[in-house]
């Protein structure tokens, strides 16, 4: 997932100590997210693209969420953690939920689009979910068998259409097992899936997944992969919900492991970009929706194989070279994606004491000054 502040990663840690594997995984996952969104207007005309779309949607968000859970293991109710949760998750959610809703209303000529912080629209559901998951992280640490409990909760959500759209709770609950799985993982678990044998085995697994998805396109509703509806809302009997929850969890878990197997563990040219994936995640939505509103996806030549390849390359390029690599973009949006907001919080007694000690500490003589 995109890695907002407050993820549990130590702040101020030197870049050389960052694990390149996780930054690489986050970068590659955000590229896949962008590709999936760019494919959406085109996939109706291509069975092959619909199959590829289903395979990518089976693991790209689960991979993000597992990583988010893994880096949330140290989250507790200490004031500094809660402050980072507000500045790194709540503030971006409020700003981008409002901005995307206004963009849809005016640029998309949709005057009925409401601005509702209780009903996340488009991309912002993930920040809403992450806020809820992090808040309840201490509870999962107390449970002896957290993953089975999370799966039961997800299964119950899949048969409960009355949950509604508030805070996108269907997604919060149905994706919950992946977050809890990340909370339960250790570094050695990621090492297991990065072995050469797993990397080799992942090739036929992905091939089978693509063939299965191609077969399933006319037979399966792709909305199951969004995890935002109960079974009854998808026109299925209630008992299909728990069955699909378990089946999709297993499929997503296998494909996520295969994805991690191919993520490089060494520093690459794109490794540094993995530290800023939240920018790419939130900003690429404006590009996708803007292109759709302008009718750019309506050109017939884009709906053929060459056009689909071009759109795929452009999606990766937009995220990489515009939204992640461009320093001015990150400087402009840092105030809403990674705000400091010291003015908004009460200062703890310990922090005040440290500041007083710093102020009383003798300062070194300035360059060029005369010392006695």
């Amino acid at each position: 997932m995109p890695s907002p502040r407050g993820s549990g990663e130590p702040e101020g840690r030197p870049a050389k100590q960052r694990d390149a594997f996780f930054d690489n995984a986050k970068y590659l996952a955000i590229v896949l997210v962008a590709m999936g969104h760019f494919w959406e207007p085109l996939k109706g005309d291509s069975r092959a693209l619909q199959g590829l779309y289903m395979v990518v949607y089976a693991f790209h968000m689960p991979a993000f969420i597992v990583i988010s859970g893994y880096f949330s293991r140290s989250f507790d109710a200490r004031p500094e953690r809660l402050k980072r949760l507000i500045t790194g998750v709540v503030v971006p959610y409020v700003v981008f939920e409002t901005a995307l809703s206004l963009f849809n209303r005016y640029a998309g000529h949709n005057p009925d689009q409401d601005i509702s912080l209780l009903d996340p629209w488009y991309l912002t559901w993930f920040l809403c979910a992450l806020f809820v998951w992090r808040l309840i992280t201490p509870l999962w640490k107390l449970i002896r068998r957290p993953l089975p409990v999370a799966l039961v909760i997800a299964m119950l959500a899949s048969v409960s259409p009355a949950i509604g759209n508030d805070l996108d709770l269907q997604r919060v609950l149905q994706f919950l097992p992946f977050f809890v799985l990340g909370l339960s993982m250790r570094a050695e678990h990621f090492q297991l899936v990065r072995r050469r044998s797993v990397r080799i085995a992942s090739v036929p697994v992905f091939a089978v997944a693509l063939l299965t998805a191609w077969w399933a396109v006319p037979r399966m509703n792709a909305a199951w992969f969004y995890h935002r509806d109960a079974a009854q809302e998808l026109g299925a009997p209630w008992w299909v919900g728990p069955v699909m929850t378990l089946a999709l969890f297993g499929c997503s878990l296998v494909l996520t492991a295969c994805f991690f197997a191919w993520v490089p563990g060494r520093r690459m040219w794109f490794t540094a970009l993995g530290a800023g994936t939240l920018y790419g995640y939130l900003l690429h939505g404006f590009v996708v929706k803007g292109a759709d509103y302008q009718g750019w996806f309506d050109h017939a030549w884009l709906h053929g194989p060459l056009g689909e390849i071009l759109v795929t390359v452009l999606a990766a390029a937009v995220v990489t070279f515009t939204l992640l690599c461009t320093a001015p973009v990150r400087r402009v949006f840092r105030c809403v994606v990674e705000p400091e907001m010291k003015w908004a919080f009460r200062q703890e007694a310990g922090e005040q004491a440290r500041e007083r000690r710093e102020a009383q500490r003798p300062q070194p003589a300035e360059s060029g000054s005369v010392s006695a």
Side-chain angles (χ1 to χ4, degrees), residues 183-240:
L183 286 175
S184 306
M185 294 183 69
R186 299 292 180 265
E188 53 266 26
H189 296 138
F190 289 96
Q191 292 293 339
L192 289 175
V193 300
R194 293 165 60 187
R195 293 178 299 177
R196 186 171 181 270
S197 58
V198 179
R199 190 175 298 116
I200 294 173
S202 67
V203 175
V205 169
F206 266 119
V208 171
L210 289 169
L211 288 174
T212 303
W214 184 88
W215 172 86
V217 164
R219 299 173 174 86
M220 179 182 176
N221 188 345
W224 284 105
F225 293 99
Y226 303 150
H227 297 282
R228 67 184 178 197
D229 299 295
Q232 297 92 322
E233 295 172 292
L234 296 177
W238 69 267
W239 58 266
V240 175

Side-chain angles (χ1 to χ4, degrees), residues 263-279:
V263 172
R266 64 184 185 281
R267 291 194 62 81
M268 308 290 289
W269 63 269
F270 53 79
T271 300
L273 305 183
T277 48
L278 187 60
Y279 292 87

Side-chain angles (χ1 to χ4, degrees), residues 138-150:
L139 298 178
W140 292 109
K141 294 179 180 179
L142 298 176
I143 299 175
R144 180 169 294 180
R145 297 289 184 267
L147 185 56
V149 174

